[in-house]
Amino acid sequence: MKQTSGDDFPGFDYSPNDRKNWMSGLDPEKVFVNQIVWPGTHDSATNEIGIPLVTRPLAQCQTLSIYDQLVSGARVLDIRVQEDLLVCHGILTTYNVDVVIEDVKKFLSETQSEVIILEIRTEFGHDDPPNFDKYLEDQLGEFLIHQDDQVFDETIAELLPKRVICLWKPRKSPQPKTGGSLWSSGYLKDNWIDTDLPLTKFESNIKYLSEQKPVNSRKYFNRVENTVTPQADNPILCVKPVTDRIRPYTRMFISQCFSRGSPDQLQIFSTDFIDEDFVDACVGLTYARIQGKA
């Protein structure tokens, strides 16, 4: 069921027939990369993090597996790793990054025209996994879209059969080289503030977007997140009850982008605990852009 607050934006009433293949449903020959409002997940690989009922509620930002997130419509993944290749969130760990890669490849094998932005970074306070760039190239080489500013002006059809924009953000290792198969950190900029207050995050996101160039006049992705973060001085430390304070305002935020003058700046929009309505809102605005209605 669609949220009722803030439904007044172009494409609000559009729902893809098949979220697993929503890019295909919009016609890859008509969808330009810089038109897409990319639905993303924050701390994507945390569905099994920590110890159930003990530490997991302190770090879990998604309940779905990577594969199930992609099937539900997510197209941007935020993965944090440490030196031993375990996925982590702060000091808590979960499965090996191999699980993420296998889920991505399974999804790609079942679809034909869906493009994914896969962001992998070394978590703060951790060392880079050795030779991780080579690992990514070995695992995903046939799907990797090479780093190229022209990508932003191309259609999905022009990218195919390559389907993964993989950003590797090491802490100490060299950044990916220009023109290589991996993308460097400068190609994904975002606005993150450490707050558990929905209005503070909401206004910060709006301000950030107002300072950006329109999507069709820049050569990088930007991201805002419809999330808030538990604070140590607050008695509620579990992620879900805190981030649930802002999650109902997805559609209102998109509406406010229009009413406050930043409709052409929104590009990657990420969330905790992704659901169908969040995906539909992003895809709906993408559809409106393609139709020339936004």
Side-chain angles (χ1 to χ4, degrees):
M1 186 164 125
K2 285 185 167 43
Q3 302 155 9
T4 55
S5 59
D7 269 1
D8 49 340
F9 62 85
F12 78 92
D13 55 351
Y14 179 86
S15 292
N17 292 326
D18 178 7
R19 293 181 184 88
K20 183 177 181 179
N21 291 284
W22 67 260
M23 289 182 170
S24 298
L26 293 178
D27 189 348
E29 294 187 357
K30 296 180 179 178
V31 182
F32 285 86
V33 169
N34 61 20
Q35 291 177 314
I36 299 169
V37 181
W38 301 76
T41 53
H42 165 248
D43 259 311
S44 306
T46 54
N47 55 307
E48 295 183 8
I49 200 162
I51 303 170
L53 304 177
V54 181
T55 57
R56 184 169 298 172
L58 304 176
Q60 185 182 52
C61 299
Q62 309 295 331
T63 54
L64 299 178
S65 68
I66 295 298
Y67 173 77
D68 286 338
Q69 289 173 42
L70 294 169
V71 168
S72 73
R75 292 296 178 266
V76 182
L77 300 173
D78 159 25
I79 310 297
R80 327 285 179 89
V81 295
Q82 59 185 35
E83 187 176 12
D84 60 3
L85 294 179
L86 292 182
V87 175
C88 58
H89 184 182
I91 63 171
L92 297 179
T93 60
T94 180
Y95 38 70
N96 191 288
V97 72
D98 287 344
V99 175
V100 173
I101 300 300
E102 289 306 312
D103 272 10
V104 167
K105 290 198 287 189
K106 179 182 178 184
F107 175 77
L108 293 172
S109 73
E110 295 174 355
T111 56
Q112 293 184 330
S113 305
E114 304 305 301
V115 175
I116 299 168
I117 298 175
L118 173 62
E119 177 201 22
I120 305 187
R121 71 180 92 168
T122 302
E123 180 68 304
F124 180 78
H126 293 280
D127 291 329
D128 301 321
N131 303 312
F132 194 65
D133 51 351
K134 186 177 186 304
Y135 166 85
L136 291 171
E137 290 168 344
D138 289 346
Q139 291 293 320
L140 295 169
E142 63 180 301
F143 300 109
L144 293 175
I145 298 167
H146 282 224
Q147 185 185 135
D148 184 351
D149 286 357
Q150 292 300 115
V151 165
F152 296 93
D153 298 318
E154 293 181 334
T155 64
I156 289 176
E158 290 173 315
L159 299 179
L160 299 176
K162 307 296 187 181
R163 296 166 56 198
V164 178
I165 295 172
C166 184
L167 294 108
W168 164 226
K169 298 183 175 183
R171 292 210 161 267
K172 297 178 181 178
S173 303
Q175 286 281 327
K177 295 178 181 178
T178 302
S181 57
L182 303 177
W183 295 59
S184 56
S185 60
Y187 280 102
L188 176 51
K189 303 178 181 181
D190 58 3
N191 179 52
W192 187 83
I193 60 169
D194 192 12
T195 182
D196 62 355
L197 301 175
L199 182 59
T200 300
K201 184 62 174 287
F202 194 103
E203 291 296 332
S204 175
N205 283 341
I206 291 287
K207 181 176 184 296
Y208 172 76
L209 288 180
S210 73
E211 297 167 349
Q212 304 302 306
K213 295 178 182 179
V215 291
N216 61 3
S217 62
R218 53 179 161 78
K219 305 299 183 183
Y220 61 87
F221 296 101
N222 76 10
R223 172 174 56 200
V224 290
E225 296 180 325
N226 196 50
T227 63
V228 286
T229 307
Q231 300 297 302
D233 60 355
N234 190 297
I236 302 176
L237 295 176
C238 297
V239 172
K240 195 167 193 310
V242 173
T243 201
D244 276 353
R245 299 171 187 168
I246 197 170
R247 288 178 64 238
Y249 299 105
T250 297
R251 290 175 175 271
M252 180 179 287
F253 179 79
I254 296 175
S255 175
Q256 287 291 300
C257 287
F258 279 84
S259 63
R260 294 164 71 171
S262 301
D264 300 324
Q265 284 78 359
L266 184 60
Q267 190 169 37
I268 295 175
F269 196 23
S270 292
T271 187
D272 292 325
F273 305 104
I274 195 166
D275 58 25
E276 292 178 350
D277 189 70
F278 183 89
V279 171
D280 288 358
C282 295
V283 178
L285 180 51
T286 302
Y287 171 77
R289 285 179 174 176
I290 295 165
Q291 298 296 314
K293 298 177 180 178

